[in-house]
Amino acid sequence: MPRWDPKAQDRLRAAALELFVEQGYENTTVTQITERAGLTRRTFSRYFTDKRDVLFAGSEQLPDAVAAAVRRADAALPPFQALLAALVDIGESFTDLVPHAAQRRAVIASSPELQERERTKLAAVTEALAGALRERGATASRAKLLAQVGIAVFQTAFERWTDQPEHADFTTCVHETATELASSLSPAAGLVTMPENP
Amino acid sequence: MPRWDPKAQDRLRAAALELFVEQGYENTTVTQITERAGLTRRTFSRYFTDKRDVLFAGSEQLPDAVAAAVRRADAALPPFQALLAALVDIGESFTDLVPHAAQRRAVIASSPELQERERTKLAAVTEALAGALRERGATASRAKLLAQVGIAVFQTAFERWTDQPEHADFTTCVHETATELASSLSPAAGLVTMPENP
């Protein structure tokens, strides 16, 4: 076996997710994962610190990466459109996660501990996004609102993309989700039924 | 001291929040809270299970209350507008929390444990909202998206309201926040710069 196997990380991830779905996250050990993948524990340690890390590898870098993508977005774009451009940019780097995304969601949904970890991750990304939007001139309150809504659009678009990757690319999924949301929110769709300002 | 003191709960809440802000949440004991409020530990136990409960009392009922409010909303309203009507309905029952809301936010922001508890609470409310929107005919994916966005609008509107309660009532804050978001999202504001569907 070569010392550097570019497919090893993906084989380990696939084996781990298979086992998590088959027998439960709690009941799965790193030894079982490496046996299923036909790799050693030493190889596992090269890519992941523990079994939870299979689900969250790279998430520490995500807040900075997302903020940097907002900073790279065309200076002429208004805040929410800069944010969407950044999310498309980031989402496209997740292509190798597409085949595992639905399984990963099912595993996380099965465990309160993993749900909590996922929420903590998303909160850190939301905070970084809000910070980057403040740098582009949004007020703190508006930056937080748009960051939260951007994360909701990202999650929805990512789920739709990974559930049917042959249907459309990620950019199209983000575009469709944002358009659908805009039409749900539009005053014509019913906000006029709310009381007017005094 | 009368056995039933309608102001006791509020005095305990005010004393607890003062102490949390002054000396930190971790460093504050229930005994200090009851001493500051001039009440007994027995009275404290009538309203709260522990000091954390001062910040989260009633939150177990929130998911069901929010879902019920969505069900009560006019059947003619589209999903997002039914959701806004429900959030206004619920928010108005929080009037007694207004004087403490900014302090509560500061205390929660100071503690990762409390932030996690707050996120868990909001996730349960989001799930209940999504369920109620599915009952009104929204697909699972759309219901989840609208519920997440609704919670973001609620949080923003509640913060704006409680920061300046004399400025506007809660309904107006929700209306203004939703309108601001709709205009940030609108295609005219820049979605047209995204690639068109193939």
Side-chain angles (χ1 to χ4, degrees):
Chain A
M1 195 180 64
R3 182 160 164 71
W4 178 256
D5 176 359
K7 289 190 182 135
Q9 186 178 23
D10 203 56
R11 276 166 62 193
L12 287 164
R13 189 181 280 126
L17 283 161
E18 267 175 35
L19 286 164
F20 294 163
V21 169
E22 278 171 31
Q23 61 184 36
Y25 172 77
E26 295 301 338
N27 302 323
T28 300
T29 64
V30 170
T31 304
Q32 291 172 330
I33 295 168
T34 56
E35 278 171 6
R36 173 73 62 106
L39 293 164
T40 63
R41 240 189 126 93
R42 199 186 154 85
T43 305
F44 183 92
S45 305
R46 212 177 294 153
Y47 300 105
F48 305 109
T49 54
D50 53 26
K51 67 175 178 176
R52 199 174 74 160
D53 194 37
V54 177
L55 300 165
F56 295 103
S59 62
E60 320 77 53
Q61 286 90 48
L62 207 48
D64 285 349
V66 165
V70 171
R71 283 186 209 108
R72 275 197 306 275
D74 187 337
L77 288 177
F80 193 74
Q81 285 64 37
L83 188 152
L84 288 183
L87 295 177
V88 164
D89 193 353
I90 291 291
E92 282 170 351
S93 68
F94 291 170
T95 304
D96 59 332
L97 301 179
V98 173
H100 309 298
Q103 279 181 315
R104 179 181 181 277
R105 276 197 291 280
V107 172
I108 287 176
S110 74
S111 156
E113 179 214 328
L114 296 175
Q115 287 173 10
E116 195 259 295
R117 179 73 190 79
E118 180 77 353
R119 284 194 294 265
T120 303
K121 179 188 92 175
L122 291 173
V125 175
T126 305
E127 201 165 293
L129 269 178
L133 293 176
R134 288 196 301 274
E135 287 173 22
R136 293 180 78 103
T139 63
S141 176
R142 186 174 215 179
K144 189 174 155 192
L145 173 65
L146 295 183
Q148 288 175 316
V149 172
I151 291 292
V153 168
F154 181 87
Q155 282 188 285
T156 303
F158 193 73
E159 284 185 23
R160 291 177 181 182
W161 180 43
T162 53
D163 280 345
Q164 293 195 291
E166 67 293 338
H167 169 70
D169 62 15
F170 183 59
T171 305
T172 303
C173 290
V174 168
H175 185 187
E176 286 177 356
T177 303
T179 304
E180 177 185 317
L181 179 61
S183 104
S184 291
L185 278 169
S186 75
L191 263 181
V192 289
T193 65
M194 304 272 301
E196 287 303 310
N197 289 353
Chain B
M1 193 180 64
R3 181 161 164 69
W4 178 256
D5 176 358
K7 289 188 182 136
Q9 186 178 23
D10 204 54
R11 276 166 62 194
L12 287 164
R13 190 182 279 127
L17 283 162
E18 267 175 38
L19 287 164
F20 293 162
V21 169
E22 277 170 34
Q23 60 184 36
Y25 172 77
E26 295 300 337
N27 302 324
T28 300
T29 64
V30 169
T31 304
Q32 290 172 332
I33 295 168
T34 57
E35 279 171 6
R36 173 73 62 104
L39 293 165
T40 62
R41 239 191 126 92
R42 200 185 153 85
T43 304
F44 183 91
S45 305
R46 214 177 292 153
Y47 299 105
F48 305 110
T49 54
D50 54 26
K51 67 175 177 174
R52 199 175 74 161
D53 193 36
V54 177
L55 300 165
F56 295 103
S59 63
E60 320 76 53
Q61 285 90 47
L62 206 49
D64 284 349
V66 166
V70 172
R71 284 186 209 108
R72 276 197 304 275
D74 188 337
L77 288 177
F80 193 73
Q81 285 63 38
L83 187 152
L84 289 183
L87 295 177
V88 164
D89 192 353
I90 290 292
E92 282 171 352
S93 67
F94 291 168
T95 304
D96 60 333
L97 300 179
V98 172
H100 309 299
Q103 278 180 315
R104 180 181 180 279
R105 276 198 290 280
V107 173
I108 287 176
S110 75
S111 155
E113 179 213 329
L114 296 175
Q115 287 173 10
E116 195 259 294
R117 179 72 189 81
E118 180 78 351
R119 284 195 293 267
T120 302
K121 179 188 92 174
L122 290 172
V125 175
T126 306
E127 200 163 294
L129 268 178
L133 292 176
R134 287 196 301 274
E135 287 171 23
R136 294 178 77 102
T139 63
S141 175
R142 186 175 215 177
K144 188 173 156 192
L145 173 65
L146 295 182
Q148 287 174 317
V149 172
I151 291 292
V153 168
F154 181 87
Q155 282 188 286
T156 303
F158 193 72
E159 284 185 23
R160 291 177 181 182
W161 180 42
T162 53
D163 279 346
Q164 294 195 292
E166 67 293 339
H167 170 68
D169 62 13
F170 183 59
T171 305
T172 303
C173 291
V174 169
H175 186 185
E176 286 176 357
T177 304
T179 303
E180 176 185 318
L181 178 62
S183 104
S184 290
L185 279 168
S186 76
L191 263 182
V192 289
T193 66
M194 305 270 304
E196 288 303 310
N197 289 352

